[in-house]
């Protein structure tokens, strides 16, 4: 059986980080989103944090209004964010843990510990026909709870694996990789759609593209860094090519994602 297409979601948070370093409108994350789509991105991801340190409310509204591909709205499970998501009506909401003092989203959501608190958020988003994804570590207990909570999608946190690869910690990288391989298989067998993201670069995106269970990668920071040197369009094309190589190495023909692949 051919592998399902692998979608590339481009995270534009760090364009907003750069913009917010000064008080003006440039660089505009919506312009980056439009350019990324033109270059082959299958969707756009943006994280509206509680402290608005990068993406702001108005960016999210403009992304929803102006982009032609699905918008994946990353947010913490708070009443404020739920109200904004229900008003914005993105294609998908990815629920992430959030602590003000962290530099980035450091760990997965503890859906086992917080299932009572998360259940009403997931239900309300499901009722609004917004596709809910839970950003979790590739841990069997978390995956099983995500399925119980009726979230249709999980996004596997790839941060620990990517850090170990970049730092050259071979044994840790291998252990984290095996966790991801097993987690993706378990999630798929539990009927979940499986995405992955955090810290991916060309090397790790190529490798993870070989896992047939994974149908979407969400990537931001590395791509925005590369874009400084070669431009965003070139970076999106290079990332797409890395992902296609990974799928092909798994012995599968590469098929482009179509709108109907976004469930
Ligand atoms: N997926 C989720 C849920 C995230 O929180 C982030 C970071 O905002 C990403 C993917 C993208 O991670 P990175 O910017 O490290 O590529």
């Amino acid at each position: 059986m051919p592998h399902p297409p692998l979608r590339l979601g481009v995270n534009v948070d760090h364009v907003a980080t750069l913009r917010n370093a000064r008080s003006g409108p440039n660089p505009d994350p919506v312009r980056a989103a439009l350019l990324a789509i033109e270059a082959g991105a299958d969707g756009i991801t943006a994280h509206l944090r509680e402290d608005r340190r990068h993406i702001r409310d108005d960016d999210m509204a403009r992304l929803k209004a102006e982009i032609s591909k699905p918008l994946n709205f990353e947010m913490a499970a708070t009443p404020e964010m739920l109200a904004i998501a229900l008003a914005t009506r993105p294609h998908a909401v990815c629920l992430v843990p959030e602590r003000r003092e962290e530099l980035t989203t450091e760990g997965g959501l503890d859906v086992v510990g917080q299932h009572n608190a998360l259940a009403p958020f997931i239900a309300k988003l499901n009722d609004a026909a917004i596709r809910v994804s839970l950003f979790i570590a590739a841990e069997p207990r978390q995956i099983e709870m995500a399925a119980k909570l009726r979230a249709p999608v999980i996004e596997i946190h790839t941060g620990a694996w990517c850090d170990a690869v970049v730092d050259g910690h071979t044994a840790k990288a291998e252990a984290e990789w095996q966790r991801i391989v097993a987690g993706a298989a378990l999630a798929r067998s539990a009927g979940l759609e499986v995405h992955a993201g955090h810290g991916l670069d060309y090397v790790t995106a190529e490798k993870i593209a070989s896992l047939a269970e994974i149908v979407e990668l969400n990537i931001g920071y590395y791509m925005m860094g590369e874009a400084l040197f070669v431009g965003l369009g070139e970076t999106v094309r290079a990332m797409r090519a890395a992902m296609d190589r990974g799928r092909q190495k798994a012995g599968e023909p590469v098929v482009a994602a179509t709108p109907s692949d976004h469930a």
Side-chain angles (χ1 to χ4, degrees):
M1 265 240 304
H3 283 12
L6 179 59
R7 302 188 296 263
L8 170 59
V10 174
N11 180 312
V12 294
D13 291 352
H14 294 293
V15 181
T17 303
L18 198 55
R19 177 203 51 203
N20 298 355
R22 295 274 173 102
S23 54
N26 298 311
D28 178 10
V30 179
R31 182 177 171 197
L34 294 170
L35 205 155
I37 289 169
E38 202 179 292
D42 300 295
I44 296 297
T45 295
H47 183 177
L48 187 65
R49 293 185 76 103
E50 190 193 9
D51 62 7
R52 311 304 200 262
R53 73 172 72 150
H54 36 59
I55 293 294
R56 296 171 178 156
D57 301 52
D58 176 53
D59 295 324
M60 206 53 106
R62 288 177 54 232
L63 283 168
K64 167 68 182 159
E66 294 184 37
I67 65 172
S68 57
K69 292 278 168 105
L71 173 63
N72 179 30
F73 184 148
E74 284 180 15
M75 59 177 233
T78 65
E80 182 203 14
M81 287 301 153
L82 178 65
I84 298 172
L86 292 175
T88 309
R89 308 197 79 78
H91 170 77
V93 157
C94 181
L95 292 176
V96 302
E98 200 176 297
R99 286 185 299 120
R100 259 173 199 271
E101 63 275 19
E102 69 191 356
L103 285 177
T104 178
T105 312
E106 282 165 6
L109 199 59
D110 178 13
V111 294
V112 173
Q114 294 176 28
H115 65 277
N116 283 335
L118 289 169
F121 283 91
I122 296 168
K124 283 188 183 123
L125 291 163
N126 279 342
D127 288 350
I130 296 171
R131 211 160 161 77
V132 185
S133 158
L134 302 177
F135 187 46
I136 59 174
E139 291 291 344
R141 287 168 63 238
Q142 301 289 349
I143 293 165
E144 281 153 11
M145 183 55 79
K148 262 197 207 144
L149 283 168
R150 298 190 184 286
V153 183
I154 61 159
E155 180 167 323
I156 293 180
H157 196 313
T158 52
W161 172 54
C162 292
D163 286 349
V165 171
V166 169
D167 295 342
H169 295 152
T170 321
K172 172 140 172 64
E174 182 54 25
E176 291 293 342
W177 170 248
Q178 291 306 333
R179 231 155 57 103
I180 292 171
V181 172
L186 175 66
R188 194 65 208 106
S189 67
L192 291 158
E193 180 176 314
V194 189
H195 302 176
H198 211 282
L200 293 168
D201 60 14
Y202 294 140
V203 172
T204 43
E206 180 171 337
K207 175 143 180 162
I208 205 167
S210 66
L211 300 183
E213 295 86 358
I214 296 180
V215 296
E216 182 172 306
L217 301 180
N218 287 303
I219 314 179
Y221 186 75
Y222 178 79
M223 292 183 73
M224 293 311 158
E226 278 298 292
L228 292 175
F229 303 110
V230 299
L232 183 54
E234 187 50 38
T235 304
V236 171
R237 285 186 287 275
M239 185 56 81
R240 184 71 267 165
M243 289 162 55
D244 290 349
R245 277 196 305 277
R247 268 301 202 244
Q248 257 158 0
K249 269 191 205 149
E252 298 299 336
V254 171
V255 215
T258 62
S260 64
D261 290 316
H262 292 275

